[in-house]
Amino acid sequence: MRLQMTRNSTCPSSPTPLTSSQSDAIEAMELCIKAIRAWIIIGTRQQLSKVDIEKLSVGDVSVAPVAVARNLGTWFDTNLSLVTHITKTCKAAFYHLHNIRRIRKFLTVESTKVLVHAFIMGRIDYCNSLLHGLPTTHINKLQRVQNAAARLIC
């Protein structure tokens, strides 16, 4: 069995065979974990305001922090409030509702339902489990999209 660790000042610089003593291996792993913990910054808004990191260097690569990041179609902000995700979802949904409304007179009720379900409800339902426990003010924005979609169909 081999133990591979990342290049770090407290970790071995190359893969090394597991020593005969498990306590040596555990100690080496704990040293690496201590070094990695220094990279992870998690906290409340007040705690994060005390930290000022312009960039993080990992090997030859520099990583700069961003306020908002997209992962698998969901927008995450620094406080995980999902406000950006809700805003962008509502914006895209109202854009599609506007376009469907423009051609509504040429569509049957059934085809309108299919379009609304495909373009609007799919966006709202995607990753909706992440929205559990958010304040009602944020959820109401998505409810307004659903209400507008229902009015368009009827």
Side-chain angles (χ1 to χ4, degrees):
M1 181 176 212
R2 294 181 68 83
L3 178 65
Q4 184 171 354
M5 298 181 187
T6 59
R7 202 172 273 254
N8 194 321
S9 61
T10 59
C11 298
S13 60
S14 62
T16 58
L18 188 61
T19 60
S20 59
S21 171
Q22 275 196 314
S23 63
D24 291 342
I26 291 171
E27 184 178 312
M29 186 61 86
E30 286 175 347
L31 286 173
C32 286
I33 290 172
K34 280 184 182 178
I36 292 172
R37 280 191 184 145
W39 299 348
I40 300 171
I41 300 172
I42 299 172
T44 64
R45 188 177 317 138
Q46 292 81 14
Q47 291 170 333
L48 291 175
S49 68
K50 297 175 186 176
V51 179
D52 185 28
I53 296 178
E54 293 180 19
K55 67 178 181 174
L56 177 68
S57 296
V58 180
D60 296 335
V61 179
S62 292
V63 179
V66 293
V68 179
R70 186 175 184 183
N71 188 12
L72 298 175
T74 304
W75 292 89
F76 295 97
D77 56 5
T78 55
N79 297 319
L80 295 177
S81 64
L82 294 174
V83 172
T84 305
H85 173 71
I86 292 171
T87 302
K88 288 183 179 280
T89 300
C90 290
K91 183 178 179 180
F94 279 121
Y95 170 79
H96 290 297
L97 279 174
H98 174 74
N99 286 336
I100 294 170
R101 183 170 285 121
R102 292 174 64 190
I103 61 169
R104 175 65 179 99
K105 60 185 171 188
F106 304 111
L107 300 172
T108 64
V109 173
E110 196 60 38
S111 61
T112 305
K113 284 181 186 178
V114 170
L115 283 175
V116 166
H117 186 69
F119 286 109
I120 312 306
M121 302 316 289
R123 291 177 189 275
I124 293 175
D125 286 342
Y126 184 73
C127 291
N128 64 358
S129 61
L130 296 175
L131 305 174
H132 176 73
L134 288 181
T136 308
T137 55
H138 300 318
I139 302 300
N140 285 343
K141 292 178 183 178
L142 295 170
Q143 184 63 51
R144 284 193 290 272
V145 171
Q146 285 185 321
N147 294 346
R151 281 192 302 272
L152 177 65
I153 291 171
C154 297

